[in-house]
Amino acid sequence: MIDPLLVGGLVIACFVAYNIGGATTGPAFGPAVGAGVISKTVAGGLMSVCFFLGAWTIGRRVVDTLGEELVRDPAVFTLPASIVVLFFIGGALLIGNVSGAPASTSMTAVGAIAGLGLATGELDSAVIGEILAWWIISPVIGFWMAVVIGRYAYGTIDRLIAIERSEGPLVTVEGSGPLPRPAPGPNTTRRELIGTVVVVGIGCLMAFSSGASNVANAIAPLVGSGAVGMNPGIVIGSVAVAAGALTIARRTMETLGNDITDLPLTAAIVVAVLSSTIVIVLSAIGIPASFVIIATVCIVGLGWGRSTRQVPIAAAVHGNASPRVSVGALTADGAPTVGEPEPGESTDDVAADGDGDPPPRSELFDPATTVRVIVMQNVVPILATIGSYLAFVLVGPV
């Protein structure tokens, strides 16, 4: 006879995994979707496959780590306690996804487990301290690397890559032979095709990394309690993640791909390379990587860096308009920029080269969206931690 408590635990674990799919697909494929490279449906499919591969290969190690290192005594992961922890992880992630601001699954899961550890006196303060330190340092590193690239290197990168979306489909299917085969679209350039492969490939790598680190957030408590085996847990969690990637993730992809700024392909590649590199480095040293926050701050940092080269100097000098900072610079792939004049060149000449007009308001950096994203990514894990701690303190060990 099936234990009703186990059934309830599996339902909640699937709910958590569903929200993980919604929260992590945006950071991985938001840049590609925002650049118009792939559709949200294709992004969800790629996320599903790559997540499972990461979970099945490397993720099983993270499942063991999450259940053994954060708390000194893994025996605290009883089946009822595991269900309570999963409940707070899933509830906190749902809040983030409904708001359209993707929450960090790693931070939320660690927070909920930390609440259990604090309530039972089994939290390993050294381990949690190291994790928190890297969570503070890594977004700062990502942000300033993106700012420097946006301010000083983006123009050079853009000229080298020179990728712009052409009219018509990127890839077509030719059915003249015995088997249908993909072929470049009628207006697709070689550089555009290569750039598309690069940005989608990096998204797949991030999805693989997400599977390696995030499947533990959904199934580690149940596997640690011995209620579910490792392999069945990975399969169940990955299927639920796929469901989230194909449904609720559409809103988070919209937030990271369009609401903050409309990314051209060059910017999407830069963001993906920066964020995935930082995530891989953190994973290599055993830190649960919060690539939700890293990807977000890289998008903002790159936009801010680019915007410093879009100040209408001549208009400001003549009093026609005040200088404005615009992340809309990201939306103008290859567009001339307005900066300091070269020797012998006047501000009027510089303004003329860049038209001297501020970008349209629709291309301006949206501070309200960015603040909402950053706040929710910090509030959601705090809610999970506090809720889990209070539950175990008030109710006692279960």
Side-chain angles (χ1 to χ4, degrees):
M1 182 177 179
I2 300 177
D3 185 357
L5 192 60
L6 175 58
V7 173
L10 289 173
V11 169
I12 298 177
C14 288
F15 177 71
V16 171
Y18 176 81
N19 282 281
I20 287 175
T24 59
T25 305
F29 293 101
V33 171
V37 172
I38 57 176
S39 67
K40 294 175 183 177
T41 301
V42 171
L46 291 173
M47 179 71 189
S48 303
V49 173
C50 296
F51 185 97
F52 173 74
L53 293 176
W56 188 262
T57 55
I58 303 174
R60 59 188 67 242
R61 302 175 186 175
V62 184
V63 173
D64 291 331
T65 300
L66 197 60
E68 294 177 1
E69 295 187 4
L70 279 181
V71 291
R72 289 188 289 265
D73 183 9
V76 299
F77 282 118
T78 63
L79 181 55
S82 300
I83 293 175
V84 173
V85 169
L86 288 171
F87 172 81
F88 284 106
I89 295 174
L93 288 176
L94 179 63
I95 293 174
N97 284 331
V98 169
S99 72
S104 167
T105 54
S106 295
M107 292 175 66
T108 303
V110 169
I113 296 174
L116 170 62
L118 285 171
T120 58
E122 296 294 338
L123 181 65
D124 192 321
S125 57
V127 173
I128 195 67
E130 182 181 5
I131 292 174
L132 290 175
W134 278 110
W135 281 352
I136 294 172
I137 295 171
S138 57
V140 174
I141 294 174
F143 176 80
W144 285 110
M145 288 178 65
V147 168
V148 171
I149 291 175
R151 179 66 179 89
Y152 299 105
Y154 186 90
T156 301
I157 295 173
D158 186 53
R159 286 191 294 272
L160 290 175
I161 298 177
I163 303 172
E164 295 183 3
R165 287 287 286 117
S166 60
E167 296 293 333
L170 184 70
V171 177
T172 59
V173 178
E174 294 185 353
S176 56
L179 294 174
R181 57 188 179 88
N187 299 316
T188 302
T189 64
R190 182 180 179 184
R191 284 192 171 186
E192 181 185 3
L193 193 60
I194 293 175
T196 298
V197 171
V198 169
V199 72
V200 173
I202 293 173
C204 291
L205 180 61
M206 294 181 71
F208 179 90
S209 301
S210 175
S213 60
N214 286 323
V215 72
N217 302 333
I219 68 171
L222 292 179
V223 173
S225 69
V228 177
M230 178 71 76
N231 289 346
I234 291 175
V235 172
I236 292 171
S238 297
V239 170
V241 165
L246 292 167
T247 54
I248 198 172
R250 291 175 174 271
R251 185 166 185 183
T252 56
M253 280 189 284
E254 184 73 19
T255 297
L256 288 182
N258 294 321
D259 287 355
I260 291 179
T261 183
D262 187 10
L263 295 179
L265 202 51
T266 302
I269 291 175
V270 172
V271 169
V273 169
L274 277 178
S275 54
S276 61
T277 299
I278 294 173
V279 168
I280 291 172
V281 171
L282 289 177
S283 299
I285 61 178
I287 302 298
S290 177
F291 71 80
V292 171
I293 289 182
I294 294 172
T296 302
V297 298
C298 284
I299 291 173
V300 176
L302 185 64
W304 190 36
R306 285 284 289 141
S307 71
T308 60
R309 304 184 65 85
Q310 291 288 329
V311 178
I313 295 177
V317 169
H318 295 295
N320 296 330
S322 59
R324 280 199 292 181
V325 175
S326 169
V327 173
L330 281 173
T331 69
D333 236 352
T337 58
V338 181
E340 296 296 333
E342 299 293 335
E345 185 179 34
S346 69
T347 56
D348 288 341
D349 295 330
V350 175
D353 290 340
D355 289 336
D357 295 325
R361 182 165 296 276
S362 61
E363 294 182 356
L364 291 178
F365 174 62
D366 185 352
T369 298
T370 303
V371 169
R372 175 169 58 88
V373 169
I374 298 298
V375 168
M376 289 302 297
Q377 287 172 357
N378 287 276
V379 168
V380 168
I382 292 174
L383 291 176
T385 304
I386 295 175
S388 176
Y389 172 76
L390 292 177
F392 287 110
V393 167
L394 297 176
V395 177
V398 291

